[in-house]
């Protein structure tokens, strides 16, 4: 492990792989996009991955004499770290709910476990899929600094994505605070394995941002009708809407694909 001095004082984990570094003695830059021809460092090698005996191509100073010149990846790295921390908290919370209340409920699918899938920033807010042995929901978390702890649980809000409008329910939990959830599947009895469920969750995240999903409405509605006819009786976790909503159309189509 080699460090470097300067604005980050040797904290390798504080710079992103895209960081452009500069020798503070002779101002020679190290740009990971270019690598270092002289020492056969191939383009794409992050500064933190340079060998410990790598020296400044300009003045032979050691790695420790480099400081951050520019780090285009640092804001994104911070965001992703923040998202990882918060989704881990969400997962821990629902694992606790599972052990406290759900594990012996008949609708539980024992092949599944709680997992956060595909969380990414959406207009500054973490968005992804939370799947569990008893539900799969789209989850929207507040932006850093935004307080959703005063949301009224059960309040409905329609949120628009490129593929259509989705109804989210506001909710709050003691450990994770406020969040908005859009139900995709419940119960989860149709999923044969965690891998199947994760694949569908990933497909949902892709379909959400695909305008083409709108055009498939009719076909997906047909698929959904056929699928419901196959299931006797069809699961009715909530009153059936008069017409399929965008999300049921999309999720039902995806579920069919995962069978
Ligand atoms: Fe130098």
């Amino acid at each position: 492990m080699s460090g470097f001095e300067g604005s980050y004082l040797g904290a390798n984990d504080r710079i992103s792989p895209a960081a452009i570094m500069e020798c503070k003695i002779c101002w020679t830059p190290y740009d990971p996009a270019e690598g270092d021809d002289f020492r056969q460092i191939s383009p794409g090698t992050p500064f933190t991955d340079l060998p410990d005996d790598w020296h400044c191509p300009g003045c032979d100073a050691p790695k420790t004499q480099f400081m951050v010149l520019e780090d285009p990846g640092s804001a994104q790295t911070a965001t992703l770290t923040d998202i990882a921390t918060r989704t881990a908290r969400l997962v821990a919370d629902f694992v606790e709910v599972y052990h406290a209340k759900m594990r012996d409920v008949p609708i539980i699918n024992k092949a599944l476990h709680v997992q956060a899938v595909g969380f990414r920033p959406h207009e500054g807010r973490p968005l992804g899929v939370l799947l569990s042995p008893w539900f799969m929901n789209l989850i929207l978390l507040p932006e850093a600094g935004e307080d959703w702890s005063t949301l009224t649980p059960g309040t409905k809000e329609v949120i628009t994505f490129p593929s259509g409008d989705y109804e989210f329910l506001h909710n709050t939990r003691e450990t994770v605070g406020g969040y908005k959830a859009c139900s995709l599947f419940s119960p989860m009895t149709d999923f044969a394995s965690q891998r199947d469920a994760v694949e569908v969750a990933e497909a949902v995240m892709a379909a959400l941002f695909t305008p083409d999903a709108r055009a498939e409405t009719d076909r997906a509605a047909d698929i959904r009708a056929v699928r419901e006819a196959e299931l006797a009786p069809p699961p009715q976790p909530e009153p059936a809407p008069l017409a399929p909503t965008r999300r049921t159309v999309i999720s039902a189509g995806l579920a069919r694909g995962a069978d």
Side-chain angles (χ1 to χ4, degrees), residues 24-110:
K24 67 181 183 185
I25 296 167
C26 75
W27 300 294
T28 297
Y30 175 80
D31 184 345
E34 291 174 11
D36 175 7
D37 261 357
F38 184 66
R39 290 181 212 266
Q40 297 179 323
I41 304 293
S42 44
T45 306
F47 182 82
T48 48
D49 288 355
L50 292 174
D52 286 349
D53 60 359
W54 183 86
H55 285 73
C56 173
C59 73
D60 222 32
K63 271 182 88 176
T64 50
Q65 296 302 313
F66 277 70
M67 55 190 290
V68 177
L69 178 63
E70 190 187 322
D71 190 354
S74 67
Q76 199 187 5
T77 303
T79 306
L80 294 178
T81 305
D82 175 59
I83 289 179
T85 307
R86 293 166 68 195
T87 54
R89 216 177 291 153
L90 195 64
V91 166
D93 196 35
F94 279 93
V95 166
E96 205 174 303
V97 171
Y98 173 75
H99 289 296
K101 292 188 201 162
M102 298 302 296
R103 62 195 304 173
D104 298 321
V105 173
I107 60 154
I108 286 294
N109 183 341
K110 298 260 185 193

Side-chain angles (χ1 to χ4, degrees), residues 103-243:
R103 62 195 304 173
D104 298 321
V105 173
I107 60 154
I108 286 294
N109 183 341
K110 298 260 185 193
L112 305 180
H113 59 261
V114 182
Q115 186 176 349
V117 181
F119 273 80
R120 66 194 66 165
H122 171 65
E123 293 173 354
R125 301 186 179 97
L127 171 78
V129 172
L130 186 68
L131 73 89
S132 79
W134 69 101
F135 69 83
M136 186 189 296
N137 288 350
L138 263 176
I139 300 274
L140 189 65
L141 297 172
E143 206 170 351
E146 195 174 21
D147 183 13
W148 282 2
S149 63
T150 56
L151 291 182
T152 306
T155 303
K156 292 174 179 175
E157 179 185 347
V158 173
I159 299 178
T160 302
F161 294 95
S163 59
D165 297 335
Y166 295 78
E167 189 179 271
F168 281 70
L169 284 179
H170 294 184
N171 211 342
T172 58
R173 293 196 56 80
E174 220 170 275
T175 50
V176 296
Y179 64 93
K180 298 174 183 179
C182 170
S183 172
L184 297 166
F185 298 94
S186 183
M188 295 288 282
T189 40
D190 283 355
F191 293 92
S193 68
Q194 184 77 10
R195 214 183 71 177
D196 284 358
V198 168
E199 273 177 16
V200 169
E202 284 168 349
V204 166
M205 286 305 289
L208 202 56
F209 294 96
T210 308
D212 290 353
R214 280 177 184 269
E216 289 183 22
T217 298
D218 291 344
R219 191 189 60 81
D222 291 344
I223 291 170
R224 182 170 181 266
V226 170
R227 181 166 170 266
E228 284 191 345
E230 285 169 357
L231 300 166
Q236 298 274 322
E238 53 191 319
L242 290 176

